[in-house]
Amino acid sequence: MTDEINLNSFFGAVGDDKAFRDRYGDQIGAGMAAVIYARDGIAAKVFRENQSPHQAFLEGYTMAVVNSLNIPAPKVYGVETFCNRTVLLMDQVKGISLLDVMLQDRNRIPECMDTVVKLQAALHKVEFSGFLPLKSMQKRMIDASPGLTSEEKEKLLKMLDSLPDGTILCHGDFHGGNILCEGKSCMIIDWAEVSCGDPAADACRSYMDYCIAGQGYEELYIEKYCAVTGRRREDILAWLPVVAGAVYGYLSPEAQKAVRPLF
């Protein structure tokens, strides 16, 4: 195990971002889909060049709906285009991510994972059908994936058809890195992959995220999640090949190496 994640190799280098820093402030985060900047309490999520512009508008709408469901998420202010990139403007969330806490102090890993699971279990009690069905989202990602062969797509889609539907609110990328806490107050961020479906699929995505991060948290996560929710490990991991295959073609080469064995 390692205590450091090389974001540049997993998500791709940010490159020369002076224009974005001048306009939006200091860079405070980077992920597969976007780079985050902040100034004066406003965060700017600058989507990468390979992301469709509609993604920012969809995420803004999503977060507005999530706010209306009384789920702790940042308030949205608008979407704009700058330097041919689409930018989502929202509240800057104060605090430190639970992932950073776990990396800084291994003694706090069980406590932080308890918080992760508690928040996700609460989310998985929300019945909501206003977002794209999870299975439809997975199908679109597999069909359009640039990294899968036609045979792999056919195999994964067949597996997807056999898995259950649902109408539970699913975050789509729920892990400690997307939970920021200040004191006892926590905020859930990064709602770009929200859907409605089987909560076991959402838990499986969380398990996969921990697997590819290489910190060894995945077994602790799934043990605690199953204990709190009563869901079975086998029902969660039944989704693993589909969930991994759906994201595979959109990852950096480094991340693909970690995901490939999962499907």
Side-chain angles (χ1 to χ4, degrees):
M1 292 191 303
T2 176
D3 284 338
E4 295 184 1
I5 302 173
N6 187 334
L7 293 179
N8 278 342
S9 57
F10 264 83
F11 301 128
V14 173
D16 183 3
D17 64 345
K18 183 179 183 303
F20 296 104
R21 286 185 281 111
D22 287 345
R23 184 173 180 86
Y24 300 117
D26 294 333
Q27 183 192 142
I28 61 170
M32 181 174 65
V35 181
I36 313 297
Y37 303 86
R39 178 187 290 133
D40 299 330
I42 303 297
K45 183 172 184 176
V46 179
F47 284 80
R48 293 183 183 267
E49 292 178 340
N50 63 349
Q51 298 295 308
S52 171
H54 89 276
Q55 189 65 38
F57 292 93
L58 180 60
E59 186 173 351
Y61 163 76
T62 295
M63 291 170 62
V65 173
V66 167
N67 285 154
S68 74
L69 295 172
N70 296 317
I71 294 167
K75 181 179 179 180
V76 177
Y77 295 103
V79 177
E80 66 181 30
T81 300
F82 179 68
C83 292
N84 295 318
R85 303 274 281 278
T86 312
V87 183
L88 176 63
L89 301 172
M90 68 191 95
D91 275 335
Q92 180 185 1
V93 181
K94 304 293 185 180
I96 183 172
S97 79
L98 290 179
L99 177 60
D100 285 338
V101 175
M102 290 190 282
L103 292 175
Q104 292 172 11
D105 184 354
R106 300 190 68 83
N107 292 325
R108 296 190 63 187
I109 291 173
E111 167 197 345
C112 290
M113 197 63 78
D114 283 339
T115 301
V116 170
V117 167
K118 179 182 177 181
L119 288 168
Q120 192 174 29
L123 190 68
H124 287 170
K125 292 180 180 179
V126 179
E127 289 269 359
F128 187 72
S129 57
F131 294 132
L132 184 70
L134 184 146
K135 289 179 68 172
S136 296
M137 178 181 288
Q138 296 285 299
K139 184 178 186 302
R140 289 183 184 182
M141 292 175 69
I142 292 169
D143 277 336
S145 176
L148 299 174
T149 66
S150 57
E151 291 79 11
E152 288 172 331
K153 291 180 181 181
E154 182 179 356
K155 175 184 175 181
L156 290 170
L157 290 173
K158 185 176 180 180
M159 294 179 66
L160 178 61
D161 284 341
S162 70
L163 292 166
D165 291 302
T167 56
I168 294 295
L169 186 64
C170 296
H171 180 275
D173 193 19
F174 200 97
H175 54 75
N178 281 333
I179 303 170
L180 301 186
C181 297
E182 186 174 39
K184 294 184 178 181
S185 176
C186 294
M187 191 75 70
I188 303 167
I189 63 171
D190 198 355
W191 290 87
E193 298 180 65
V194 69
S195 64
C196 302
D198 181 7
D202 202 39
C204 185
R205 171 59 188 264
S206 299
Y207 177 88
M208 184 196 74
D209 285 341
Y210 288 122
C211 284
I212 65 177
Q215 304 302 316
Y217 300 155
E218 61 272 12
E219 291 304 322
L220 177 64
Y221 162 76
I222 198 169
E223 177 184 339
K224 287 183 176 293
Y225 179 85
C226 289
V228 168
T229 64
R231 295 190 174 91
R232 301 189 307 167
R233 174 190 177 93
E234 54 266 38
D235 292 336
I236 294 169
L237 295 186
W239 283 90
L240 189 56
V242 169
V243 170
V247 303
Y248 174 77
Y250 307 95
L251 299 174
S252 69
E254 186 70 19
Q256 286 183 340
K257 292 177 184 177
V259 171
R260 169 58 77 172
L262 301 179
F263 69 95

